[in-house]
């Protein structure tokens, strides 16, 4: 028997379709004989000629061949390498329409994975200047046409794309990475060759503190030895006065994981300080920190508003990173506990608490899905639980511990609409309701969207 999706589309086949909506990765979604066609770079409302590239049982990936009817939201991307790099997916869309698309992506995810009929979705908080916002870059070093460049690999390829002028990157990060790449080339320090497994320097990581526009740089190397180390440090100090902390991380593995276990400070400070409103945060090279400093304030203020603290509540900040959300809420709570798997981040969180003279927070190394259920078993009863998990979403054990113990408020900060919607469905079927949902545009020009959701107990 033929399923409704079984239509004859063959690779290379050309089709004229109308784009109906935006997909989760920023691609246009059209239908051809009821089969979903995903078309990168196509926009809702456009009529396009596409060519089938990959045929899967329930969808087809197709390339845009020609725009027959153009969307009024389409603009010329200003980046030279937009087509190659893959870092941004929505530069061809004017900013207001990008914001609408992100709200749409959230609505679609909830429509797909939950039964909620009237989502209390607030308008997304966008940026006044949606460029130059990324405070950190991790760029691979490579040799292209005999020149050493720092860049990103184009999606599904071994082609390194030079993004030294990246428009979403903070200008200080661009400047620092370009200068250090040039120094490495001038000093003939061998860069790592993944294919031959030779050479030393793999990646340059630069993080800017937007407070004083100073930089923390980490060179990820394949081996402990760093040839010309003294000359390298001297040249960086000469050419990059913005660099206040220079570290080396050793990653001997052939892996897509950038950092190895060992980090040493080559020169300067161990940490860099960043300010978010009234709070100061001290960040070690490997510590997680939100990439968009300006929008982080909007996101954390949303968490604070949703928590609605009066001063006598206990709060858990699960997946706490360097403790930022917990510290943000601490002034209005009785007690806050943070959980995080990376011990270095917990060290940072503790230092951040003392740096800001905050004494009512405790930070614990561990897995949220293990520690939280243990605490709940010991009759610890938080009033508010905040989670901010990685893209994979919350562990089921954690969700079930929430359901079994039903804190008054559960606040879910998510960077992945699909896992957010799937996890929401579990909560919605087990006694919670969504009271408010606030998307924040943390990553303009890309299809990523951050969203803060307030769950309250059903009456
Ligand atoms: C999206 S980040 C959020 C960090 C922090 N809330 C912030 O705003 O900067 C997720 C954090 O969860 C941590 N993490 C990942 N799995 C975890 C788990 N099972 N339990 C606790 N923390 C975890 C990661 O190391 C990372 O620091």
């Amino acid at each position: 028997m033929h399923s409704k999706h079984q239509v004859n589309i063959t690779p290379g086949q050309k089709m004229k379709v109308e784009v109906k909506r935006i997909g989760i990765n920023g691609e246009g979604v059209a239908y051809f004989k009821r089969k979903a066609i995903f078309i990168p770079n196509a926009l809702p409302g456009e009529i396009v000629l596409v060519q089938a590239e990959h045929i899967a049982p329930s969808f087809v990936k197709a390339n845009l061949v020609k725009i027959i009817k153009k969307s009024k939201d389409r603009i010329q991307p200003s980046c030279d390498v937009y087509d190659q790099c893959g870092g941004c997916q929505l530069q061809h869309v004017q900013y207001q329409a990008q914001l609408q698309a992100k709200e749409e992506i959230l609505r679609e995810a909830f429509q797909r994975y939950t039964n909620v009929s009237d989502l209390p979705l607030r308008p997304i908080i966008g940026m006044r200047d949606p460029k130059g916002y990324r405070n950190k870059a991790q760029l691979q070093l490579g040799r292209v046409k005999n020149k050493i460049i720092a860049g990103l690999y184009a999606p599904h390829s071994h082609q390194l794309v030079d993004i030294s002028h990246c428009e979403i990157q903070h200008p200080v990060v661009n400047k620092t990475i370009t200068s250090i790449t040039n120094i490495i080339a001038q000093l003939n320090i061998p860069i790592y060759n993944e294919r031959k497994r030779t050479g030393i320097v793999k990646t340059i990581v630069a993080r800017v503190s937007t407070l004083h526009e100073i930089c923390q740089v980490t060179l990820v190397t394949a081996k402990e030895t760093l040839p010309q180390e003294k000359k390298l440090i001297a040249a960086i100090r000469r050419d990059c006065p913005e660099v206040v902390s220079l570290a080396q991380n050793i990653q001997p593995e052939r892996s897509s994981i950038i950092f190895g276990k060992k980090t040493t400070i080559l020169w300067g400070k161990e940490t860099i300080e960043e300010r978010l409103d009234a709070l100061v945060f001290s960040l070690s090279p490997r510590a997680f920190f939100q990439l968009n400093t300006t929008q982080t304030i909007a996101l954390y203020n949303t968490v604070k508003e949703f928590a609605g603290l009066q001063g006598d509540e206990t709060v858990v900040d699960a997946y706490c990173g360097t403790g930022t959300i917990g510290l943000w809420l601490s002034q209005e709570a009785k007690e806050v506990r943070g959980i995080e798997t990376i011990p270095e981040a917990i060290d940072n969180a503790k230092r951040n608490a003392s740096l800001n003279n905050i004494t009512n927070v405790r930070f614990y190394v561990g897995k949220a899905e293990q520690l939280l259920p243990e605490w709940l078993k010991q009759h610890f009863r938080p009033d508010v639980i905040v989670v901010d998990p990685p893209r994979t979403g919350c562990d089921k054990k954690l969700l079930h511990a929430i359901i079994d113990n039903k804190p008054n408020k559960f606040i879910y900060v998510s960077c992945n609409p699909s896992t957010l919607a799937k996890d929401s469905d579990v909560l919605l079927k087990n006694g919670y309701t969504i009271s408010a949902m606030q998307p924040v545009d943390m990553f303009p020009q890309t299809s990523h969207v951050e969203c803060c959701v307030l769950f309250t107990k059903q009456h």
Side-chain angles (χ1 to χ4, degrees):
M1 214 171 80
H2 284 254
S3 89
K4 69 177 183 196
H5 294 304
Q6 254 170 351
V7 284
N8 251 350
I9 299 175
T10 48
Q13 182 177 335
K14 288 191 176 159
M15 296 163 278
K16 185 175 145 188
V17 288
E18 181 173 354
V19 182
K20 295 290 181 198
R21 59 181 177 87
I22 193 114
I24 195 131
N25 298 312
E27 71 282 31
V29 184
Y31 294 88
F32 186 77
K33 295 186 181 158
R34 296 173 71 191
K35 191 156 186 157
I37 316 284
F38 297 144
I39 316 150
N41 286 320
L43 291 180
E46 288 187 331
I47 296 175
V48 287
L49 183 67
V50 301
Q51 184 164 34
E53 190 204 5
H54 170 74
I55 320 283
S58 60
F59 67 89
V60 170
K61 248 190 95 181
N63 293 323
L64 181 60
V65 177
K66 191 177 165 194
I67 302 169
I68 297 162
K69 186 187 145 215
K70 194 159 108 175
S71 162
K72 63 175 182 4
D73 296 324
R74 182 175 282 280
I75 54 170
Q76 184 62 31
S78 48
C79 172
D80 292 341
V81 291
Y82 178 53
D83 292 345
Q84 302 152 48
C85 152
C88 294
Q89 302 78 34
L90 294 178
Q91 264 206 30
H92 59 292
V93 189
Q94 57 128 323
Y95 188 54
Q96 279 312 313
Q98 286 186 23
L99 294 176
Q100 281 164 16
K102 293 184 187 200
E103 290 176 9
E104 200 45 46
I105 287 173
L106 277 161
R107 268 196 216 96
E108 276 288 331
F110 275 76
Q111 207 169 5
R112 180 159 187 189
Y113 296 113
T114 75
N115 293 323
V116 183
S117 50
D118 50 347
L119 209 58
L121 186 67
R122 298 180 179 181
I124 187 167
I125 302 173
M127 288 192 85
R128 207 173 307 152
D129 176 10
K131 293 203 170 155
Y133 62 83
R134 268 186 76 110
N135 57 29
K136 187 173 121 177
Q138 306 184 146
L139 302 191
Q140 311 304 318
L141 284 177
R143 195 179 286 275
V144 175
K145 292 186 191 145
N146 238 357
K147 188 175 174 245
I148 291 176
I149 63 162
L152 289 179
Y153 283 99
H156 321 294
S157 87
H158 286 283
Q159 188 206 341
L160 193 64
V161 181
D162 182 351
I163 60 159
S164 49
H165 299 292
C166 175
E167 291 180 5
I168 63 169
Q169 214 59 257
H170 193 290
V172 171
V173 168
N174 282 340
K175 184 263 153 192
T176 304
I177 291 188
T178 304
S179 299
I180 294 180
T181 309
N182 291 341
I183 292 169
I184 288 172
Q186 279 155 16
L187 292 174
N188 266 325
I189 299 173
I191 57 160
Y192 185 70
N193 181 314
E194 201 178 303
R195 211 166 32 85
K196 297 184 188 156
R197 304 195 74 178
T198 56
I200 305 285
V201 189
K202 291 178 155 180
T203 310
I204 303 178
V205 183
R207 162 148 61 195
V208 65
S209 153
T210 53
L211 175 62
H212 298 302
E213 301 212 328
I214 51 175
C215 243
Q216 176 179 60
V217 171
T218 309
L219 301 174
V220 183
T221 58
K223 295 186 184 132
E224 297 224 4
T225 28
L226 180 55
Q228 309 264 42
E229 182 181 317
K230 284 203 174 114
K231 283 188 181 167
L232 174 72
I233 295 170
I236 291 176
R237 291 183 65 184
R238 182 194 64 213
D239 293 353
C240 307
E242 70 281 8
V243 175
V244 296
S245 167
L246 179 62
Q248 179 186 0
N249 172 276
I250 298 123
Q251 172 52 300
E253 310 289 325
R254 192 182 200 177
S255 157
S256 59
I257 297 167
I258 290 187
F259 287 106
K261 288 197 179 88
K262 189 171 170 190
T263 305
T264 53
I265 300 295
L266 294 175
W267 175 81
K269 298 180 180 182
E270 282 191 20
T271 58
I272 185 172
E273 282 185 2
E274 178 62 294
R275 180 180 283 279
L276 290 179
D277 254 4
L279 296 182
V280 178
F281 296 96
S282 165
L283 307 171
S284 63
R286 289 203 50 199
F288 177 92
F289 192 72
Q290 296 284 353
L291 287 172
N292 184 332
T293 314
T294 315
Q295 293 298 85
T296 299
I297 296 175
L299 180 70
Y300 290 177
N301 279 339
T302 304
V303 177
K304 193 184 257 184
E305 183 214 323
F306 284 1
L309 300 171
Q310 305 294 317
D312 55 355
E313 295 91 344
T314 45
V315 177
V316 169
D317 174 11
Y319 308 90
C320 71
T322 47
T324 41
I325 293 180
L327 293 168
W328 203 257
L329 301 179
S330 64
Q331 285 121 321
E332 293 173 9
K334 187 173 87 190
E335 182 197 341
V336 179
R337 293 188 188 183
I339 311 172
E340 162 64 47
T341 44
I342 299 177
E344 270 181 334
I346 287 293
D347 290 343
N348 283 186
K350 289 178 179 167
R351 192 174 7 209
N352 290 335
S354 63
L355 205 61
N356 292 286
N357 297 318
I358 294 173
T359 53
N360 61 339
V361 294
R362 298 279 174 278
F363 292 107
Y364 300 82
V365 177
K367 288 187 175 171
E369 63 273 23
Q370 278 174 2
L371 276 189
L372 187 63
E374 272 172 32
W375 293 347
L376 295 169
K377 242 185 235 159
Q378 293 157 8
H379 305 292
F380 171 66
R381 290 280 171 268
D383 301 287
V384 179
I385 296 179
V386 184
V387 294
D388 183 6
R391 291 186 63 75
T392 42
C394 285
D395 191 280
K396 292 291 164 283
K397 271 190 247 150
L398 180 114
L399 290 180
H400 286 287
I402 305 283
I403 289 163
D404 292 343
N405 291 276
K406 296 239 164 41
N408 287 333
K409 287 182 174 177
F410 178 65
I411 301 170
Y412 194 141
V413 179
S414 160
C415 56
N416 183 341
S418 297
T419 53
L420 171 67
K422 286 180 195 166
D423 289 348
S424 296
D425 190 48
V426 177
L427 294 161
L428 290 165
K429 285 181 175 145
N430 288 283
Y432 276 98
T433 186
I434 296 180
S435 299
M437 246 177 114
Q438 177 64 69
V440 179
D441 192 18
M442 301 287 277
F443 310 104
Q445 320 303 335
T446 77
S447 56
H448 297 290
V449 53
E450 195 88 8
C451 188
C452 183
V453 182
L454 170 62
F455 291 90
T456 49
K457 281 195 282 191
Q458 276 165 12
H459 294 298

